[in-house]
Amino acid sequence: MTASTTYPQSLVINYDYKAGKVTEQASTMNAKEFMLSGGQGVYTAMRTVCGGSRIFLLDDHLQRISNSHRMVLADSEQQKDPEHWRNLLVPIIRRGLESFKSTTENDDRKITILVGTDHVSLQLTELKAPLNGICWVKFVQGKRHNPVAKDLQWVHDRERLEKQIISPINEIVLIESGPETRVYEGLSSNFFATRRVSEDKQPGYANFELLSAPLDSVLLGTIMKLVLRICERDCIKVVYDSRVDFSRWSGAFVSSTSRLVLPVSKIITDCGEHLMDSRDPLVVHLLESVKGLAREQSTEI
């Protein structure tokens, strides 16, 4: 019997603050393993668009790093603004993309950034989406303790729940049981549902409203913020109501950097399974709108 061969599936770049030294190495770690190796610190996950030549929502990610660093790691003398992180990270990202090149227009990269007290680590991996463009999710009891910051501690806290992500389940969505069950967010995504409010408006998505958990109860993801800006632009009503109501929900989706807007076709709970309309007009409109903004809302690297 011959030993199995493992192949590099990512590139890891490390920058040591004190030494001022950048090193890179091929790695067999996936994104989850990379984040679990990060120790104390904060993180964000970016993605490229247009075949790896542009970073989607770069400014939002730099602001997130600045905010999370201030809340988790920095004292008053160590606080750094987004421009500091731009000057530090963009050259490292550019180096990584050059070493881990995309080969086609649709071949994009996921870029996970870990910021510690004395170093920055960056991982590039291939970006893979569900083949059929829809997903199943599972509702599980739980809630993030600090939804405002992207603290690496959350990566460790959620590891137990991630074991329940078994194909075809794509994401675990956190709920809080009680007289009225409430839904919050995914382990690495935001969760939305839609509800029909009228019948005869045009375009078709205008007959629906978007449902979200209150903003102070979840981590406001970069794609979630973009979805909310699209709703404001297109006069789509957003209702911040986290109560679970399968009898009135029409469609649902999860949003994240790697998924963008990913329609949900089935929700699994302890009490059974609930089918969602993955072609719900509002879900489809938001999916297409986010994809359509890829170049406009991205920065050339």
Side-chain angles (χ1 to χ4, degrees), residues 43-104:
Y43 71 99
T44 194
M46 307 179 184
R47 66 168 290 157
T48 66
V49 294
C50 305
S53 62
R54 305 177 71 88
I55 302 294
F56 195 36
L57 300 172
L58 176 63
D59 290 345
D60 293 66
H61 286 289
L62 295 174
Q63 185 66 59
R64 165 176 283 169
I65 291 173
S66 178
N67 292 345
S68 296
H69 183 266
R70 172 176 49 81
M71 288 183 282
V72 176
L73 292 176
D75 59 31
S76 59
E77 296 181 358
Q78 295 175 317
Q79 294 179 20
K80 308 294 185 183
D81 62 20
E83 204 57 32
H84 164 84
W85 296 109
R86 183 189 306 277
N87 294 334
L88 174 63
L89 293 174
V90 167
I92 302 175
I93 293 171
R94 187 179 293 123
R95 172 173 172 165
L97 290 173
E98 181 63 27
S99 298
F100 201 64
K101 286 182 178 180
S102 299
T103 56
T104 69

